[in-house]
Amino acid sequence: MVTVDTRGFSCPVPLLMVQEEIKKTDPAQLAVLTDAPCAVENIQRFAHHNGYDFTALESGDEWTLTLRKK
């Protein structure tokens, strides 16, 4: 599984990083580490509009997002 670490970046940078990784590697599954609450919402929206299932696990002030191709 490919992992994109977006911690320390604020929106829209995390979403742009995810879009770039998907364009570059076209992974079947992608994990995203983030500490930006707005990134969770933006990446979730992106996932649903682009054929990915989306899950989010919160741990303190950070999230691990998982995108899986449908």
Side-chain angles (χ1 to χ4, degrees):
M1 175 175 16
V2 177
T3 300
V4 178
D5 187 351
T6 69
R7 292 174 293 186
F9 294 99
S10 58
C11 287
V13 175
L15 176 59
L16 296 173
M17 292 170 73
V18 168
Q19 290 172 331
E20 182 178 323
E21 187 63 37
I22 287 174
K23 183 177 181 181
K24 184 172 69 174
T25 64
D26 190 32
Q29 186 169 315
L30 179 70
V32 182
L33 307 175
T34 189
D35 56 4
C38 68
V40 176
E41 296 171 16
N42 289 338
I43 294 169
Q44 180 180 26
R45 210 171 305 119
F46 169 81
H48 289 302
H49 285 113
N50 288 280
Y52 287 87
D53 288 325
F54 175 89
T55 58
L57 294 173
E58 185 176 0
S59 178
D61 293 336
E62 296 183 355
W63 291 264
T64 301
L65 313 177
T66 304
L67 286 71
R68 288 184 190 87
K69 280 189 178 179
K70 292 183 181 180

